[in-house]
Amino acid sequence: MTAPLRLGTRGSALAMAQSSQIAEALTAATGRPVELVEVITAGDRSNAPVHRLGVGVFVSALRDALTARTIDFAVHSYKDLPTAAAAGLHIAAVPARQDPRDALIAQGGRTLAELPPGATVGTGALRRIAQLHALGLQLEVTPIRGNIDTRLARVLGPEADLDAVVLARAGLARIGRTDTITETLDPMLMLPAPAQGALAVECRVDDQDLVELLALLDHAPSRAAVTAERALLATLEAGCSAPVAAYAELAEGDDGDEIYLRGAVISPDGTRDLRLSRTGTPADAAEIGKALAAELLDLGADSILGHEGHTGPGTQQFGSTE
C-alpha cells in the first residue's frame, strides 16, 4: 500500500479546513491517501498584532518542516507568503480561488453604510483600517487578533464589545460561517489584499513526482490573477506598515481572455488614497503587476510607503486570512 503523503498545516480551524479540502481534492484526483501533520508557527504562539510580528510568521515553520522532510507538502493562505521565492521550494498548485472580497459582520444585521458615526469596527489588517478611514464614515477602527471564532465573538458573543468586524470572506466560507456576514464588501469600497482568497500548495522542487501530482490541482486563471497581484506587491517593495491592495479579475475580451488589475496604496489614516488599474493578457500577468506598481510609484506611492514601511524586495507580510 502506498504510504500517505504528509500535508503540513497550521492548527487553526481555518488552516485545518482548507488543508483538509486540499487533501480530499488530491486523493479524489490521484487516489493517493493524505494525512495532516500539524505544525505550530511563530504567529500561532504570539498575541501581538500581525503587522508587528515580522515577515512570514505563519509560513516559516511550515517551510522549515518541508526542508527537513518531516512533511511532503504544505498549504498556505497565499497572502501570507513573502513575495521572494524560497530556495529549494516550489508552488506546485494554486487551486481555484475562493471569493477574495472582504466581509462585514455587524450587530443588528447592519451594512457598512448603516453603521452610525463612532461605531467600533475591528480588523486585523492595516489595509482594511486604512480603507475604512478613507471612506470618511467617522468609524472607530481598532486592530484585533485571534482566529475567526474569536473575532466573531467580539460582535456576536455574549460579551461582544464591538459593533462590527471585517474579515476575509474566503475564510468564513471555508469554515462554513458565511451565515454571519451582513455585507460582502464591494471592491470599490474595500479592495482586497494581494492573493486574498487563494491557496498556495508548496513542495520541494526536487520532488518531481509530487510536483507533477500536485499540478493536477492547479487552476490557471487563479494562478494568473495572483501572479499579477503579487508582482505589483513585490515591485512596490512595501512593508506591512504600508497598506497595499490589489485585485485581478479575468474576463473574456475581444481577442481572448484579459486580466483587469486594480491596485491601491493608502496611507494608514486614509487621507491619501492612490488607485489605478491596468489590463493585459494572462500570459503577461507579472508584467501587468509590475507596470501598475511603476505607475503608482510615479504618482507618489513611495512617499506613502515611506522608509518606515520599506523592508526590501520580497518581504511583505499581510497577515493570516483569519
Side-chain angles (χ1 to χ4, degrees):
M1 181 176 292
T2 304
L5 293 168
R6 299 164 300 172
L7 168 52
T9 177
R10 294 172 58 208
S12 70
L14 174 59
M16 295 295 285
Q18 61 196 27
S19 294
S20 294
Q21 289 160 17
I22 294 300
E24 291 166 8
L26 186 62
T27 299
T30 67
R32 289 292 299 272
V34 179
E35 65 177 3
L36 300 187
V37 179
E38 183 177 345
V39 177
I40 299 173
T41 73
D44 299 315
R45 289 192 295 265
S46 174
N47 291 318
V50 169
H51 63 276
R52 295 180 186 169
L53 290 176
V55 175
V57 341
F58 297 109
V59 174
S60 57
L62 286 165
R63 285 181 159 174
D64 288 345
L66 270 175
T67 302
R69 300 180 180 270
T70 57
I71 60 174
D72 298 307
F73 67 113
V75 174
H76 310 283
S77 292
Y78 211 149
K79 71 176 182 178
D80 289 347
L81 291 182
T83 53
L89 301 180
H90 172 66
I91 305 298
V94 180
R97 186 183 198 175
Q98 278 271 7
D99 188 333
R101 293 176 295 175
D102 288 303
L104 181 79
I105 299 91
Q107 291 193 32
R110 291 187 178 95
T111 64
L112 194 60
E114 292 169 342
L115 292 174
T120 54
V121 181
T123 181
L126 284 170
R127 169 191 59 82
R128 296 187 188 119
I129 293 170
Q131 291 187 87
L132 287 169
H133 285 315
L135 292 173
L137 298 177
Q138 299 179 317
L139 302 171
E140 294 292 331
V141 187
T142 183
I144 59 173
R145 271 295 307 273
N147 61 33
I148 291 177
D149 287 329
T150 299
R151 297 187 193 198
L152 290 177
R154 300 286 298 271
V155 174
L156 305 177
E159 300 180 5
D161 62 340
L162 296 173
D163 295 302
V165 293
V166 180
L167 302 174
R169 194 185 196 286
L172 291 163
R174 287 186 176 117
I175 66 166
R177 297 304 307 272
T178 55
D179 61 303
T180 62
I181 297 173
T182 56
E183 182 183 12
T184 298
L185 298 175
D186 191 305
M188 294 297 289
L189 294 176
M190 181 75 66
L191 202 62
Q196 183 159 301
L199 299 178
V201 184
E202 189 172 48
C203 66
R204 292 179 294 277
V205 73
D206 62 4
D207 193 344
Q208 194 56 44
D209 288 344
L210 188 54
V211 167
E212 293 176 7
L213 208 62
L214 295 175
L216 295 172
L217 303 181
D218 196 61
H219 183 246
S222 296
R223 184 182 281 270
V226 168
T227 296
E229 294 166 9
R230 285 172 58 83
L232 177 143
L233 182 62
T235 304
L236 287 173
E237 299 183 359
C240 54
S241 61
V244 173
Y247 180 30
E249 298 177 274
L250 268 69
E252 189 175 337
D254 294 336
D255 300 313
D257 286 346
E258 290 184 343
I259 285 183
Y260 173 51
L261 174 65
R262 284 176 277 176
V265 179
I266 315 102
S267 64
D269 62 3
T271 58
R272 298 187 65 191
D273 189 352
L274 300 178
R275 293 174 187 260
L276 290 174
S277 63
R278 194 175 182 93
T279 61
T281 67
D284 295 325
E287 296 307 314
I288 296 167
K290 292 174 186 176
L292 187 55
E295 292 180 43
L296 287 165
L297 289 169
D298 285 344
L299 287 179
D302 52 346
S303 66
I304 297 176
L305 300 176
H307 296 298
E308 193 172 280
H310 182 96
T311 53
T315 57
Q316 292 74 22
Q317 173 64 32
F318 284 83
S320 166
T321 305
E322 297 173 270

